[in-house]
Amino acid sequence: GDRSLPFMLKLLMQPPLNLPQTDAEQMVAQLRYFWADIASGDQVFEFPELPAAAQQYFRRYGAIDGAGNPVLIDNNTTLQLR
């Protein structure tokens, strides 16, 4: 999270979101732990304070199916040892 702000700012300003820098700067703090949350697995991303297009974009990275149901596969795996 300490080093994510410049990267997230670029992410918001590049395609497909293409947000103006002033808008991106206002939103970037809310996304500080986005990549860390992905790394920890099975996250559900809800950012209601972001514009609809940004909410939809970041929701794609969450553990949710197309119908909005949780799909917890990262941290809920069973290994069968033989």
Side-chain angles (χ1 to χ4, degrees):
D2 293 342
R3 293 175 180 83
S4 69
L5 297 181
F7 177 79
M8 294 307 294
L9 186 62
K10 277 187 157 183
L11 181 68
L12 291 168
M13 294 170 50
Q14 299 297 317
L17 295 174
N18 297 315
L19 295 173
Q21 184 170 348
T22 54
D23 293 349
E25 287 172 347
Q26 292 176 358
M27 297 177 213
V28 75
Q30 299 164 49
L31 300 167
R32 179 177 185 163
Y33 295 106
F34 178 71
W35 292 115
D37 288 340
I38 286 177
S40 69
D42 290 333
Q43 295 296 317
V44 176
F45 295 107
E46 295 293 333
F47 300 105
E49 52 284 323
L50 297 183
Q55 288 182 45
Q56 183 178 16
Y57 176 77
F58 289 110
R59 196 174 295 129
R60 294 183 340 184
Y61 294 97
I64 292 252
D65 67 12
N69 301 310
V71 181
L72 306 177
I73 61 172
D74 293 333
N75 296 326
N76 294 295
T77 302
T78 303
L79 300 176
Q80 294 183 0
L81 304 175
R82 295 179 189 203

